[in-house]
C-alpha cells in the first residue's frame, strides 16, 4: 500500500460519493457530516472546506442557526484548504498535512483527482494507512533481518571452516611428529620383546635340563654362559634407563596427540550455545595448540595467564576469536618475533590480551580492520573476515574488543568478556 488511491478504497470517507457542498449553497444545509469536514466545490473543483468544529461552533452558539444559517457557505469556509493529489504517496501526504495543518480549521484534507475533487481524507485515515504500511514494512524488515542473521551465521561457519582448513595441514604435522616417534618406539619395544622371548626360551630349556637326571655339568655351564651372553647383549642394546624413557616418551607423545585431538574437537564444535563455567585460559590454550604450527615459525609465545573466574560463553566461538587474534599476530611478524598472551580479571570482566611485535597497523587501516572483507593480505592468505567475525562474537557475548597499535612496533588486541552471566541470543 503506497499512495492515497489505495487509502481511498479502504477508508470510507474518501469514497467519491461523499457529500459535497457547492459554493453557492447556504450555510444551513442539512447535509453536514458529524465527523468530517465538508468539501466546497465550484464547477467540480475544490475551493474550500467547512470544518466540523466550525459547524459545531455555529450550531452550539445561542441563536447561531438562526443568525448565521442563511449566510452563504463562502463566508464560513476555509478558502485555503489542505489539498493533496490522489497520486501522492501516503508519506508525502502526511508530510504535507502535518506541516500545514492548523487546528481546528484544516484538520481534514481534500484529495484531488487531476484538478477535480475526488474525496475527503482525515488525519486519522492517514495515520491508519501509514500504520498498515508500517506493519507490512516491519514484517518484510523482520524477514530481511532473519535472512541476514542466517547468512551471517553461514559466514561465521565458513570462515571457521576456512581457518580450520588452514590449520589442518599444521595440525596434521603436529600430530605426525609424536606419532612418528611413538611408532619408532613401538618397533623398538617389539624387537626387545622378541629378544626377551628368545631369552625366556633359553631359560625354559635350562630349567628343563636342570630337572633332567641326565644333565651333564658341561651342558649346564654351556647354557649358563649362553644366558649370560644373551643378558649382557640385551642390557647393552636395551638398557633399563633407555627402555624407561622409551615408555615415558611414548606416553608423552600419545598425550600430545590426544590433547590436539581434544582441542580440535572443541574447536570445530558447531554449537553456538553458551556454556557456564568456561575457563578462558583453556580456550586460549586450545587456540594456541591449534595454531601452533602457524605460530611457532614466526614467534616465541610468552604465556602470562592470570587466575580467572569462570565465564558463561560459547567456547567454540571464543576459541575462534583467540585463534583469529593469534593467527593475525603471527602473520603480522616479519622474520621471528614475540607474541605475548596475557589474561587477567577484575570484578566485572575477564580480559585476554594478544600482543605481537609485528609491523603494526596504520591509523588509516585501523579504522577499517573490523570491516568485513578488509584485508591487506594477499589472496589465499587473508579473507578479511576474521576480525569482523571476532567483533560480532565478542559483541554477542556482551563483551568489548580494543586495539592499540604502533606502526613498526606491534599491535595489542584486548578482548573483555563480562563475568556476570548473560543470555545469548
Ligand atoms: N595483529 C595485527 N597486526 C597487524 N595488522 C593486523 C593485525 N590484526 C589484523 N590486522 C590487519 O587487519 C586486517 C584484517 O584482519 P582480518 O579481519 O583478520 O582479516 P585477514 O587476516 O584475513 O586479512 C588484516 O589484513 C591486517 O591488515
Ligand atoms: Mg585474520
Amino acid at each position: 500500500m503506497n499512495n492515497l488511491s489505495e487509502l481511498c478504497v479502504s477508508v470510507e470517507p474518501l469514497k467519491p460519493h461523499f457529500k459535497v457542498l457547492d459554493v453557492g449553497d447556504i450555510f444551513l444545509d442539512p447535509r453536514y457530516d458529524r465527523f468530517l469536514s465538508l468539501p466546497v466545490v465550484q464547477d467540480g473543483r475544490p475551493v474550500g472546506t467547512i470544518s466540523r468544529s466550525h459547524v459545531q461552533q455555529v450550531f452550539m452558539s445561542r441563536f447561531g442557526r438562526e443568525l448565521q444559517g442563511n449566510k452563504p457557505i463562502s463566508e464560513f469556509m476555509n478558502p485555503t484548504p489542505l489539498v493533496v493529489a490522489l497520486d501522492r504517496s501516503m508519506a508525502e501526504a502526511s508530510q504535507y498535512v502535518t506541516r500545514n495543518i492548523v487546528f481546528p480549521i484544516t484538520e481534514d484534507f481534500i484529495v484531488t483527482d487531476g484538478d477535480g475533487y475526488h474525496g475527503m481524507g482525515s488525519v486519522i485515515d492517514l495515520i491508519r494507512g501509514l500504520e498498515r504500511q508500517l506493519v507490512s514494512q516491519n514484517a518484510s524488515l523482520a524477514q530481511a533481518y532473519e535472512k541476514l542473521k542466517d547468512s551471517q551465521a553461514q559466514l561465521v561457519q565458513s570462515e571457521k571452516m576456512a581457518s580450520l582448513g588452514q590449520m589442518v595441514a599444521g595440525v596434521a604435522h603436529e600430530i605426525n611428529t609424536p606419532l612418528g616417534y611413538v611408532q619408532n618406539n613401538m618397533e623398538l619395544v617389539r624387537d626387545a620383546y622378541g629378544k626377551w622371548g628368545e631369552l625366556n626360551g633359553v631359560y625354559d630349556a635350562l630349567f628343563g635340563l636342570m630337572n633332567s637326571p641326565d644333565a651333564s655339568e658341561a651342558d649346564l655351564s654351556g647354557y649358563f654362559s649362553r644366558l649370560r651372553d644373551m643378558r649382557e647383549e640385551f642390557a647393552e642394546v636395551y638398557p633399563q634407563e633407555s627402555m624407561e624413557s622409551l615408555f615415558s616418551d611414548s606416553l608423552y607423545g600419545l598425550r600430545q596427540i590426544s590433547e590436539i585431538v581434544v582441542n580440535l574437537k572443541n574447536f570445530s564444535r558447531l554449537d553456538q550455545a553458551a556454556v557456564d563455567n568456561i575457563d578462558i585460559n583453556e580456550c586460549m590454550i586450545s587456540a594456541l595448540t591449534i595454531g601452533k604450527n602457524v605460530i611457532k615459525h614466526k614467534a616465541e609465545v610468552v604465556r602470562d595467564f592470570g587466575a580467572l573466574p569462570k565465564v558463561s560463553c560459547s567456547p567454540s566461538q571464543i576459541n575462534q576469536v583467540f585463534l583469529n587474534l593469534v593467527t593475525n599476530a603471527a602473520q603480522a611478524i616479519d622474520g621471528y618475533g614475540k607474541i605475548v598472551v596475557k589474561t587477567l580479571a577484575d570484578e566485572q570482566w575477564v580480559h585476554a590480551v594478544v600482543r605481537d611485535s609485528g609491523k603494526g597497523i596504520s591509523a588509516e587501516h585501523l579504522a577499517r580492520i573490523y570491516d568485513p572483507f578488509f584485508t591487506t593480505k594477499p589472496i589465499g592468505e587473508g579473507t578479511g573476515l576474521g576480525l569482523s567475525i571476532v567483533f560480532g562474537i565478542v559483541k554477542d557475548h556482551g563483551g568489548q574488543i580494543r586495539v592499540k597499535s604502533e606502526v613498526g612496533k606491534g599491535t595489542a588486541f584486548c578482548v573483555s568478556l563480562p563475568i556476570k552471566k548473560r543470555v545469548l541470543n
Side-chain angles (χ1 to χ4, degrees), residues 73-371:
I73 294 267
S74 51
E75 276 189 31
F76 296 93
M77 72 181 189
N78 166 18
T80 52
L82 298 177
V83 181
V84 188
L86 187 58
D87 59 359
R88 295 281 105 165
S89 74
M90 244 169 317
E92 284 170 323
S94 67
Q95 228 169 41
Y96 167 77
V97 169
T98 45
R99 279 202 193 128
N100 296 290
I101 197 163
V102 187
F103 190 80
I105 307 168
T106 57
E107 68 261 50
D108 299 314
F109 59 94
I110 292 175
V111 179
T112 55
D113 180 359
D115 276 346
Y117 169 78
H118 179 84
M120 285 300 288
S122 70
V123 174
I124 304 257
D125 297 339
L126 259 188
I127 292 173
R128 281 197 199 123
L130 282 172
E131 202 229 24
R132 268 198 298 274
Q133 229 175 34
L134 265 183
V135 168
S136 80
Q137 275 168 357
N138 267 351
S140 50
L141 265 181
Q143 237 175 14
Y145 178 66
E146 281 307 313
K147 261 196 204 151
L148 205 66
K149 264 201 336 205
D150 264 11
S151 56
Q152 206 217 6
Q154 271 171 20
L155 214 58
V156 171
Q157 197 50 36
S158 61
E159 217 279 344
K160 190 151 104 185
M161 284 304 152
S163 48
L164 258 187
Q166 274 177 9
M167 296 301 150
V168 162
V171 170
H173 180 81
E174 288 303 310
I175 291 181
N176 224 14
T177 311
L179 199 65
Y181 64 73
V182 170
Q183 225 162 15
N184 276 343
N185 291 357
M186 285 311 287
E187 272 160 24
L188 278 174
V189 169
R190 191 175 58 189
D191 288 352
Y193 188 75
K195 277 270 178 283
W196 191 69
E198 276 176 37
L199 198 63
N200 256 354
V202 180
Y203 270 118
D204 280 346
L206 175 63
F207 287 139
L209 201 65
M210 282 163 89
N211 283 333
S212 143
D214 314 326
S216 71
E217 197 71 21
D219 284 344
L220 281 172
S221 77
Y223 268 104
F224 275 123
S225 73
R226 196 164 149 214
L227 268 176
R228 196 173 43 235
D229 289 350
M230 280 177 85
R231 286 194 50 162
E232 268 168 17
E233 190 196 331
F234 191 89
E236 207 173 289
V237 180
Y238 310 106
Q240 180 78 19
E241 322 81 67
S242 89
M243 288 310 276
E244 261 157 31
S245 68
L246 206 74
F247 282 114
S248 60
D249 284 357
S250 300
L251 286 172
Y252 174 76
L254 289 175
R255 268 199 304 275
Q256 259 189 324
I257 292 173
S258 80
E259 192 184 313
I260 292 167
V261 169
V262 165
N263 284 315
L264 207 57
K265 253 166 66 183
N266 278 344
F267 197 85
S268 57
R269 274 191 350 205
L270 300 182
D271 57 310
Q272 313 263 311
V275 183
D276 282 337
N277 298 329
I278 295 301
D279 184 344
I280 292 299
N281 284 337
E282 273 173 25
C283 291
M284 192 57 97
I285 291 170
S286 257
L288 289 172
T289 313
I290 298 295
K292 190 169 171 187
N293 197 255
V294 174
I295 304 164
K296 73 178 178 201
H297 305 293
K298 303 299 296 257
E300 168 204 4
V301 176
V302 179
R303 297 180 186 196
D304 180 4
F305 288 171
L308 303 180
K310 302 277 186 349
V311 298
S312 164
C313 67
S314 154
S316 66
Q317 291 191 3
I318 297 302
N319 287 346
Q320 196 184 357
V321 165
F322 293 157
L323 178 63
N324 273 320
L325 295 183
V326 293
T327 313
N328 278 346
Q331 286 172 337
I333 292 168
D334 291 325
Y336 194 79
K338 191 161 147 185
I339 298 175
V340 179
V341 178
K342 184 179 166 80
T343 61
L344 62 158
D346 53 34
E347 283 116 62
Q348 291 179 34
W349 304 90
V350 164
H351 307 280
V353 182
V354 176
R355 195 171 72 230
D356 64 64
S357 62
K359 50 175 164 277
I361 309 172
S362 70
E364 173 203 346
H365 285 168
L366 206 57
R368 301 175 57 198
I369 52 172
Y370 299 113
D371 292 351

Side-chain angles (χ1 to χ4, degrees), residues 325 328-329 331-332 356 359-361 365 369 374-377 381-388 411 413:
L325 295 183
N328 278 346
Q331 286 172 337
D356 64 64
K359 50 175 164 277
I361 309 172
H365 285 168
I369 52 172
F374 173 76
T375 180
T376 55
K377 294 168 194 171
E381 197 179 325
T383 59
L385 281 176
L387 284 180
S388 79
T411 305
F413 279 91

